[in-house]
């Protein structure tokens, strides 16, 4: 039972979201660059999706004249 | 294709500002020139055209800017409520609620509408050098725009629409270079889209431009040409592309408050020709835009500014042929 569990866990980790792309079978430089660039684009997309609006708010809250924090949430 | 003639015939073009050649002032005889002068205040002798000092043309994508403002108002259906809260001069948060049917594209000529509602939160930061606009909806779609002036003449624009579904996101990078009397732009988009366009002033009133684009995945490419002629009172544009689209537009400013526009579009692939006529009344308390189409579609948008920074929106679009009636109302609260 223990060996079956450890095998399953290993399988899950291999196919996990955060895994780095594996090298292509023939090890060509072009294929490697393409896989890494696709990985980078996917990460950039997730980063932009979640991080752009907090970035705008951060830049805005630090601009002059500095707005107060309560102004972010209150409707006045 | 008779409406290119109708553009010349319909509203009378304004008389060009030229001093009468019969009585030229003696001292200024060497300054008289046949062409219309640039500043257009209608007084004094016409200035000599300095061919090395032409004005910078409008950006290529804003070629039909005046026409689009009148001819393509943001008609909507349902309830719309927008609230824009300024935290300081440059930074604002916006909240927007929409409830109503949304049209789903369908293959047949029937119109399929799906009722839906969403709340959209947005943050804007507008600086002369940097502009950041982000909008996120309740279903996870995000719309982001960034505009950064890298130098005085070079600007970078990024526009991205990101969704949670895979393969539906889109992004576009644009590099704009503004020269003395020309503008050029280079675009890179997802799905291997590359485009470039260039527009040049050839006279104080006329500017000509061209664009070229290439879509990698579908191995399609296209070339287009555009021309824009504008004076103080009118703007006429023409666009032709190898994708088989011909577009002409004409806007005439009748007075400070009223302007009329017309537009003709011909699509060679689908053998479809459409002409639109519209008016735009900008009055003290309201802005009313209406349009009528050769497809029999009539639309109007009224934005009435009630006092205290509250604007009422009423929108209507009627299409008897497809039996599609869209009525919308909304409120915009924004300082």
């Amino acid at each position: 039972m223990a060996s079956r569990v450890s095998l399953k866990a290993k399988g899950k980790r291999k196919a996990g979201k955060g895994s780095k792309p594996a090298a292509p079978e023939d090890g060509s430089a072009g294929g490697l660059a393409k896989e890494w660039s696709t990985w980078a684009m996917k990460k950039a997309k997730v980063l932009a999706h979640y991080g752009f609006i907090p970035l705008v708010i951060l830049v805005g809250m630090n601009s002059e004249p500095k707005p107060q924090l309560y102004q972010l949430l209150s409707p006045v | 294709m008779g409406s290119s003639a109708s553009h010349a015939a319909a509203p009378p073009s304004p008389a060009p500002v030229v001093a009468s050649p019969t009585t030229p002032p003696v001292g200024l005889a060497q300054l008289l020139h046949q062409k219309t002068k640039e500043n257009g205040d209608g007084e004094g002798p016409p200035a000599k055209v300095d061919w090395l000092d032409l004005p910078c043309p409008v950006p290529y994508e804003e070629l039909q800017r005046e026409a689009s403002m009148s001819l393509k108002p943001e008609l909507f259906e349902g309830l719309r409520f927008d609230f824009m809260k300024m935290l300081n001069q440059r930074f604002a948060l916006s909240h927007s609620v929409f409830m109503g049917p949304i049209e789903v594209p369908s293959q047949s000529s029937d119109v399929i509408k799906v009722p839906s509602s969403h709340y959209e939160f947005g943050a804007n930061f507008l600086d002369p050098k940097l502009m950041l606009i982000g909008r996120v909806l309740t279903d996870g779609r995000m719309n982001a725009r960034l505009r950064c002036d890298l130098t005085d003449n070079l600007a970078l624009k990024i526009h991205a629409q990101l969704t949670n579904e895979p393969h539906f996101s889109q992004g576009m990078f644009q590099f704009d270079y503004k020269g003395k009397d020309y503008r050029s732009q280079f675009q890179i988009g997802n799905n291997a889209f590359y485009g470039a366009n260039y527009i040049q002033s050839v006279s104080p009133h006329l500017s000509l431009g061209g664009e070229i684009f290439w879509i990698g995945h579908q191995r399609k490419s296209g070339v287009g040409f555009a021309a824009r002629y504008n004076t103080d009172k009118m703007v006429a544009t023409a666009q032709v592309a190898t994708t088989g689209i011909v577009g002409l537009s004409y806007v005439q400013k009748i007075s400070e408050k009223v302007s009329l526009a017309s537009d003709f579009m011909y699509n060679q692939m689908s053998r479809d020709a459409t002409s639109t006529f519209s008016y735009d009344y900008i009055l003290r308390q309201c802005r009313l835009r209406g349009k009528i189409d050769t497809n029999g579609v009539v639309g109007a948008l009224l934005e009435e500014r009630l006092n205290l920074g509250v604007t009422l929106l009423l929108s209507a679009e009627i299409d008897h042929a497809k039996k599609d009636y869209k009525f919308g109302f909304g409120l915009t609260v924004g300082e």
Side-chain angles (χ1 to χ4, degrees):
Chain A
M1 186 75 114
S3 62
R4 218 186 304 153
V5 165
S6 71
L7 265 175
K8 225 196 291 185
K10 230 205 240 171
K12 249 204 217 162
R13 213 181 302 133
K14 263 228 170 101
K17 261 197 297 194
S19 60
K20 302 242 191 307
E25 283 165 11
D26 52 353
S28 68
L32 199 63
K34 193 155 180 266
E35 288 220 24
W36 276 91
S37 75
T38 313
W39 175 85
M41 286 303 292
K42 285 209 169 100
K43 294 297 168 200
K45 186 224 163 205
V46 173
L47 192 74
H49 202 157
Y50 287 104
F52 188 74
I53 296 216
L55 171 78
V56 178
I57 294 180
L58 202 71
V59 170
M61 294 299 278
N62 287 334
S63 64
E64 292 305 317
K66 244 187 178 167
Q68 304 287 322
L69 197 56
Y70 74 88
Q71 282 180 305
L72 258 184
L73 299 170
S74 86
V76 167
Chain B
M1 288 282 271
S3 35
S4 53
S6 78
H7 277 124
S13 53
V17 179
V18 168
S20 86
T22 55
T23 57
V26 172
L28 298 165
Q30 61 268 33
L31 291 181
L32 284 179
H33 198 276
Q34 289 301 328
K35 283 225 178 243
T36 65
K37 81 172 154 94
E38 193 180 333
N39 13 5
D41 55 7
E43 293 167 8
K48 186 167 181 238
V49 173
D50 184 359
W51 294 99
L52 297 174
D53 191 18
L54 295 171
C56 201
V58 298
Y60 193 91
E61 61 245 12
E62 286 178 31
L63 203 75
Q64 300 193 328
R65 165 177 62 188
E66 284 87 356
S68 309
M69 283 200 311
S70 306
L71 289 161
K72 297 179 174 63
E74 283 179 16
L75 301 171
F76 59 97
E77 182 173 15
L79 165 75
R80 213 178 98 174
F81 178 74
D82 293 328
F83 174 53
M84 171 95 89
K85 179 179 162 54
M86 309 284 300
L87 273 83
N88 67 20
Q89 244 182 328
R90 291 180 269 207
F91 180 47
L93 293 176
S94 86
H95 306 264
S96 171
V97 175
F98 172 78
M99 290 184 236
I102 292 194
E103 217 168 290
V104 171
S106 77
Q107 303 294 342
S108 65
S109 65
D110 286 342
V111 171
I112 301 181
K113 293 193 191 175
V114 173
S116 79
S117 71
H118 62 70
Y119 162 72
E120 184 192 64
F121 173 72
N124 302 351
F125 179 73
L126 289 102
D127 201 34
K129 286 210 153 227
L130 174 68
M131 177 187 95
L132 296 165
I133 294 184
R135 297 265 183 276
V136 68
L137 281 112
T138 40
D139 53 10
R141 277 183 290 161
M142 205 199 91
N143 194 340
R145 300 185 91 106
L146 181 149
R147 180 178 188 272
C148 179
D149 283 343
L150 302 171
T151 72
D152 267 342
N153 292 335
L154 185 63
L156 164 68
K157 292 201 277 204
I158 302 178
H159 182 198
Q161 283 171 312
L162 307 171
T163 64
N164 278 330
E165 300 154 26
H167 302 299
F168 271 87
S169 309
Q170 294 175 346
M172 172 97 86
F173 285 76
Q174 292 173 337
F175 294 93
D176 294 348
Y177 184 78
K178 181 173 78 155
K180 198 149 164 292
D181 57 4
Y182 66 91
R183 278 188 208 251
S184 63
Q185 184 184 76
F186 181 63
Q187 309 171 338
I188 303 176
N190 71 334
N191 292 337
F193 172 83
Y194 300 98
N197 61 50
Y198 178 80
I199 184 166
Q200 164 93 47
S201 276
V202 301
S203 97
H205 298 281
L206 179 65
S207 43
L208 303 172
E211 71 169 341
I212 179 167
F213 66 88
W214 184 64
I215 304 180
H217 287 190
Q218 299 165 13
R219 294 275 186 261
K220 265 204 280 206
S221 67
V223 173
F225 296 101
R228 179 183 154 111
Y229 184 83
N230 70 331
T231 65
D232 281 342
K233 296 258 176 196
M234 59 84 110
V235 176
T237 70
Q239 276 185 305
V240 181
T242 54
T243 49
I245 296 192
V246 175
L248 306 165
S249 81
Y250 181 82
V251 180
Q252 172 86 33
K253 190 167 144 181
I254 309 278
S255 77
E256 285 299 320
K257 302 189 181 191
V258 179
S259 68
L260 304 175
S262 66
D263 170 89
F264 171 75
M265 197 168 80
Y266 174 64
N267 187 344
Q268 205 205 1
M269 302 300 168
S270 61
R271 297 269 178 219
D272 198 19
T274 308
S275 199
T276 314
F277 302 93
S278 79
Y279 63 87
D280 187 352
Y281 288 152
I282 304 181
L283 306 173
R284 232 176 334 124
Q285 300 275 57
C286 79
R287 182 170 185 184
L288 175 63
R289 284 178 272 184
K291 65 173 190 154
I292 181 163
D293 222 335
T294 48
N295 296 331
V297 177
V298 181
L301 178 72
L302 169 72
E303 294 160 28
E304 170 109 19
R305 198 165 51 99
L306 313 171
N307 50 1
L308 298 177
V310 176
T311 305
L312 174 73
L313 297 167
L314 291 174
S315 150
E317 189 176 2
I318 299 178
D319 186 352
H320 287 293
K322 286 195 201 164
K323 295 216 184 301
D324 181 17
Y325 313 107
K326 292 195 192 133
F327 296 98
F329 62 99
L331 210 59
T332 300
V333 180
E335 293 90 12

